[in-house]
Amino acid sequence: MSYSAGRRPMEGASKTSHRHVIQDETVKDYLNKVAPRVKPGDIDMSQHTLVDYHECLENPVKSFMAFDGGYQEIVVEPGHPSAALCFFQFGALYFRRDDLYTLKTTPFIDPDDMARLRQMERLKLVLPLRNYVLAAETSITHSIRRTLQLFFAAPREGDAKTMLDTLHWFVFRQYMPVAQQHSTYTLSQCPHCQERVDLVASQLHPTTFAMPCPLCGEELLLIDVLRLHEAIDDELGAGQIMGYVTTAVEQLVLVHFIRIILTNSPSLLKEIFFFKDGPLGFFGQTANMHKPMLDLVSFVQTQHHSLFLVGLEKSGAFVEHAKEISGLLKPGQVLLLDNDYIYKYVTPGKANNTQPYAYTSYYGQKLIFKTPEEAVYVVTVPVPALAIKPVASSIKDLQILLTNVAKLRCDMYDNAIMPIALANKLVSLSNRPSAGILQKFAQARATK
């Protein structure tokens, strides 16, 4: 590792040291053992599950919601780069199908019409990243726990329940009949004594959603179910959890809206289409949340017949693979991705045929969809149980889901979907000028 820049120039890397690596016999031997990647031309699509797309002419969807979030890490004091905060912004974008379709037939777009497509509720969050703590807390770990608990507990206009109450409803399956609800939730690690303990639904305070640890007596918070405290290093900081926070909050906002609809007008689930940026899954420390999400998906699809929800990926190995094989798919064709296909062509490795791909984090099945207009999407669709080799009949409302993905294509970016692209535009925090403005804002507030 080189020396960083200070009063003297930064130490540069050697321009000739690579020859020692190239000439090393151990390195050469290792590279000879690496399995070659399968090229798209070697894939026989007839050996895999292909489904024909049929546009749903009786489209029941009347409105759309898209969920996205973004964050920006800010060094508050440039002379002390280890002191940093992280600013988040999350959004739920809502618009009606008729408003969108009207724009397609209008020669000139009125600003008022465009405004209807920008009805977004924004949520803002700040977390300490390095060398900052809340005045009342003893560490970065406990500062982040407290901040997230308060963020979820904040009352918001028009909501009868807080998002923290929804997290309690979600984790303990309180949407189910009483006999099927969960009375406890096991924490793999208490944030204080590091022992395995149970959160007991009946012992959590009805408004603060906290309880004493049965072993050490210190305070447990409902937000601890996300396990973020396990990944924070009080010395090195919390940088490794920021992506997990983003994906978890995005999906818990989705859960909150599903709860509101189930409580007030369940029939609306047959009319609202939800878009999530990225695959349908919880990752890293928060991966355990995929289990209650699978249960919620199963409950909604069984009791209320429909959950129009898709996750759309914009980057990553699956998107790169989809681009490579697009020429092998016919327009209007869907490739269902099973274990053998994924491990052979997308993520090299030996297929685990005892468990479905990503069974510890996903609550949806992956597929590649080539629309009649030849746009290619990597889509995750919700299922109550993941399958090693999925079939079309096991994916509820598949053609309705695909119809609305195909209908909402836009040309802002390659293979973009309008709700996702617009939601990202409305919540993302850019390096310039957002980062600079946030830095000055933080300096004025956090360095007093």
Side-chain angles (χ1 to χ4, degrees):
M1 182 180 291
S2 61
Y3 289 100
S4 60
R7 289 177 297 175
R8 295 178 175 84
M10 184 177 70
E11 180 190 15
S14 169
K15 301 298 188 290
T16 60
S17 286
H18 57 269
R19 63 189 176 89
H20 299 293
V21 178
I22 293 172
Q23 294 170 0
D24 189 278
E25 291 301 322
T26 304
V27 174
K28 294 178 183 177
D29 183 57
Y30 179 82
L31 293 177
N32 288 334
K33 295 177 182 177
V34 173
R37 193 175 70 87
V38 178
K39 301 294 190 296
D42 298 328
I43 300 174
D44 183 1
M45 284 296 180
S46 65
Q47 301 301 309
H48 302 286
T49 307
L50 293 170
V51 179
D52 290 329
Y53 161 65
H54 301 287
E55 181 181 345
C56 182
L57 300 178
E58 297 287 332
N59 188 356
V61 174
K62 296 181 180 178
S63 56
F64 302 94
M65 291 193 76
F67 302 88
D68 201 2
Y71 68 93
Q72 186 68 252
E73 298 178 6
I74 301 296
V75 174
V76 180
E77 301 176 59
H80 187 46
S82 60
L85 298 170
C86 193
F87 291 82
F88 296 82
Q89 185 164 235
F90 304 96
L93 175 70
Y94 172 83
F95 60 91
R96 295 185 304 160
R97 184 186 68 181
D98 290 346
D99 291 334
L100 179 65
Y101 289 179
T102 298
L103 292 183
K104 288 186 176 182
T105 59
T106 304
F108 301 102
I109 298 177
D110 187 285
D112 290 338
D113 292 333
M114 194 62 195
R116 293 193 187 98
L117 301 184
R118 293 173 174 264
Q119 297 179 37
M120 169 169 278
E121 180 177 349
R122 291 180 174 85
L123 306 177
K124 296 90 174 176
L125 170 67
V126 186
L127 291 178
L129 189 61
R130 293 183 299 273
N131 281 9
Y132 278 107
V133 296
L134 290 179
E137 299 296 336
T138 58
S139 66
I140 291 179
T141 298
H142 296 307
S143 295
I144 289 176
R145 291 176 61 233
R146 183 67 61 189
T147 302
L148 285 172
Q149 183 89 350
L150 293 173
F151 170 76
F152 277 86
R156 294 184 170 87
E157 185 178 356
D159 286 357
K161 301 289 186 180
T162 66
M163 285 179 57
L164 193 61
D165 191 272
T166 292
L167 181 60
H168 185 268
W169 172 89
F170 174 63
V171 167
F172 293 104
R173 280 70 160 184
Q174 292 183 337
Y175 48 84
M176 291 184 174
V178 174
Q180 296 176 262
Q181 294 178 14
H182 292 205
S183 59
T184 63
Y185 186 92
T186 301
L187 295 180
S188 58
Q189 187 180 104
C190 166
H192 305 279
C193 65
Q194 283 75 55
E195 296 294 332
R196 192 177 184 88
V197 294
D198 283 345
L199 281 176
V200 182
S202 61
Q203 294 179 16
L204 287 166
H205 190 278
T207 55
T208 64
F209 294 97
M211 62 171 279
C213 171
L215 299 178
C216 68
E218 296 291 338
E219 187 178 46
L220 298 175
L221 303 176
L222 179 59
I223 205 68
D224 294 332
V225 298
L226 298 182
R227 298 179 55 209
L228 295 167
H229 59 275
E230 298 177 23
I232 301 170
D233 187 307
D234 287 324
E235 182 178 344
L236 299 178
Q240 61 270 36
I241 72 163
M242 298 304 158
Y244 302 150
V245 169
T246 304
T247 56
V249 172
E250 287 174 1
Q251 291 174 100
L252 291 173
V253 171
L254 164 64
V255 170
H256 189 57
F257 276 96
I258 290 175
R259 182 193 184 184
I260 291 171
I261 294 169
L262 283 174
T263 302
N264 295 290
S265 184
S267 62
L268 286 178
L269 285 172
K270 300 175 183 179
E271 301 177 1
I272 299 179
F273 197 104
F274 300 103
F275 285 95
K276 181 197 170 295
D277 184 10
L280 300 182
F282 289 84
F283 306 102
Q285 298 305 122
T286 67
N288 55 321
M289 290 292 100
H290 88 284
K291 294 179 181 178
M293 197 66 185
L294 280 169
D295 288 344
L296 181 59
V297 168
S298 177
F299 174 81
V300 173
Q301 291 186 338
T302 302
Q303 300 298 319
H304 299 280
H305 308 294
S306 300
L307 178 59
F308 300 142
L309 165 67
V310 296
L312 287 153
E313 298 180 42
K314 297 185 294 190
S315 60
F318 285 89
V319 173
E320 293 171 3
H321 179 75
K323 291 177 181 177
E324 283 189 323
I325 66 160
S326 61
L328 304 179
L329 295 174
K330 298 175 183 177
Q333 212 165 36
V334 182
L335 172 64
L336 301 185
L337 301 179
D338 57 41
N339 275 26
D340 286 335
Y341 187 96
I342 291 171
Y343 287 111
K344 188 174 183 180
Y345 303 127
V346 186
T347 59
K350 187 176 180 180
N352 176 8
N353 284 322
T354 62
Q355 295 287 358
Y357 172 78
Y359 71 96
T360 60
S361 56
Y362 274 42
Y363 57 93
Q365 209 79 53
K366 276 186 181 291
L367 56 87
I368 296 174
F369 173 37
K370 187 171 184 178
T371 69
E373 293 75 27
E374 302 194 25
V376 180
Y377 299 106
V378 177
V379 185
T380 319
V381 293
V383 290
L386 300 178
I388 292 172
K389 192 173 181 65
V391 294
S393 59
S394 67
I395 302 175
K396 193 172 179 63
D397 301 314
L398 177 60
Q399 296 298 341
I400 295 176
L401 299 177
L402 296 177
T403 294
N404 286 281
V405 169
K407 288 282 187 182
L408 292 176
R409 175 179 177 270
C410 75
D411 296 320
M412 291 173 69
Y413 315 102
D414 288 343
N415 298 321
I417 290 289
M418 198 282 288
I420 295 291
L422 188 54
N424 184 262
K425 279 283 186 184
L426 295 175
V427 302
S428 58
L429 300 171
S430 62
N431 287 326
R432 293 184 181 179
S434 297
I437 293 171
L438 288 172
Q439 183 186 60
K440 293 183 184 300
F441 171 74
Q443 286 172 347
R445 297 278 180 167
T447 59
K448 289 183 178 180

